[in-house]
């Protein structure tokens, strides 16, 4: 039974990888067919249904995987910052670009389906982004308290940062190495501007309430 379960997981993984391998800057998930994904994975089309009810279910599994992978990487980045110090923004940007390099098609899928025609996909991507925003907002509040630098509307700050990161990530996907380095510098600066703006607004509000 264990061997059969392992084989099922292996085939499921092969199907997900097969779908990812078909994606590119010019081709989205909506253009894939069950038959070609099964063929790429090396199984009969009828066997596909042992693993997913339909192609969209496979796509949703990929969206979930993309969101989880990004959150795990960012958690690791936070641990490095806590252990070794350094700039939280710089480390986070470098970590995000590392994610892009290793998960380009997963990120393409999330970008496309974020504004795609499928309500189910849009809802799934929004849920992943909301998870990311929530974790970032919690981090921002914790860091602000530790540094005695209050933020105004930490949730809005997190939302602005995530939106910015996703937009710059879209540009970075097909950028040259030089362009990607320039985007990193630009992104770090823009994120610092958001952070400083929130800190400044918090100070202004504090003075106004006295």
């Amino acid at each position: 039974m264990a061997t059969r379960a392992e084989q099922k997981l292996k085939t499921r993984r092969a199907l997900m990888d097969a779908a990812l391998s078909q994606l590119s800057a010019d081709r989205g998930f909506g253009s894939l067919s069950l038959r070609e994904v099964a063929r790429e994975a090396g199984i009969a089309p009828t066997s596909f249904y042992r693993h997913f009810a339909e192609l969209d279910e496979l796509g949703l599994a990929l969206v979930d995987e993309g969101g989880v992978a990004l959150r795990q990487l960012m958690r690791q980045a936070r641990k490095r910052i806590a252990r070794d110090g350094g700039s939280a923004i710089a480390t986070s940007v470098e970590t995000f670009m590392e994610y892009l390099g290793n998960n380009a098609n997963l990120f393409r899928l999330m970008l496309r389906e974020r504004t795609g025609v499928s309500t189910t996909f849009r809802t799934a991507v929004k849920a992943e982004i909301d998870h990311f925003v929530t974790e970032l907002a919690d981090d921002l509040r914790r860091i602000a308290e530790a540094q005695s630098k209050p933020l105004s509307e930490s949730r809005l700050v997190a939302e602005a940062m995530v939106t910015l990161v996703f937009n710059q990530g879209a540009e970075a996907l097909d950028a040259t190495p030089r362009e990607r380095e320039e985007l990193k510098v630009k992104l770090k600066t823009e994120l610092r501007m958001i952070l400083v703006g929130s800190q400044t607004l918090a100070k202004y509000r504090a003075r106004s309430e006295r």
Side-chain angles (χ1 to χ4, degrees):
M1 291 296 292
T3 301
R4 184 179 300 176
E6 289 171 2
Q7 183 59 44
K8 187 172 183 178
L9 286 175
K10 184 177 179 181
T11 304
R12 178 184 171 90
R13 179 73 259 169
L15 285 166
M16 293 172 71
D17 289 341
L20 275 179
S21 71
Q22 302 293 313
L23 302 180
S24 68
D26 303 313
R27 190 176 191 198
F29 188 83
S31 69
L32 301 184
S33 73
L34 184 153
R35 186 171 296 275
E36 69 178 324
V37 170
R39 183 174 62 246
E40 181 70 19
I43 67 171
T46 52
S47 298
F48 178 94
Y49 297 104
R50 297 176 187 170
H51 308 279
F52 299 98
E54 57 183 0
L55 198 56
D56 278 0
E57 185 179 316
L58 185 155
L60 291 172
L62 289 173
V63 168
D64 180 67
E65 181 174 271
V68 170
L70 180 56
R71 292 201 304 277
Q72 286 177 341
L73 265 182
M74 298 312 293
R75 287 170 193 155
Q76 291 170 13
R78 291 195 290 271
K79 288 180 181 178
R80 288 202 301 270
I81 295 165
R83 183 187 67 233
D84 305 326
S87 167
I89 286 178
T91 302
S92 297
V93 169
E94 293 294 335
T95 302
F96 176 71
M97 290 300 178
E98 176 187 329
Y99 168 83
L100 278 188
N102 295 327
N103 301 276
N105 281 347
L106 270 177
F107 191 68
R108 286 185 204 281
L109 175 66
M110 294 180 70
L111 277 177
R112 281 203 177 101
E113 300 306 331
R114 182 186 182 191
T115 55
V117 297
S118 168
T119 302
T120 303
F121 272 100
R122 289 200 307 272
T123 300
V125 174
K126 183 180 183 302
E128 293 301 329
I129 292 175
D130 284 347
H131 288 321
F132 193 47
V133 168
T134 297
E135 288 193 10
L136 179 57
D138 289 343
D139 273 347
L140 289 172
R141 281 191 290 268
R142 178 179 53 77
I143 293 171
E145 290 174 3
Q147 296 180 345
S148 298
K149 294 180 178 180
L151 293 178
S152 176
E153 306 288 352
S154 59
R155 175 78 189 190
L156 291 181
V157 173
E159 288 179 359
M161 286 181 161
V162 170
T163 298
L164 180 60
V165 166
F166 265 67
N167 290 342
Q168 294 289 16
E171 287 192 42
L173 274 175
D174 300 306
T176 65
R178 179 178 177 180
E179 289 170 338
R180 186 168 289 196
E181 288 302 316
E182 291 173 350
L183 281 171
K184 284 183 187 179
V185 173
K186 179 182 178 183
L187 181 55
K188 291 172 187 176
T189 300
E190 290 172 334
L191 290 173
R192 289 188 181 106
M193 290 171 72
I194 292 173
L195 189 61
V196 171
S198 177
Q199 292 169 343
T200 302
L201 183 57
K203 290 178 182 177
Y204 172 79
R205 286 179 171 175
R207 286 198 299 268
S208 299
E209 292 171 358
R210 289 173 186 170

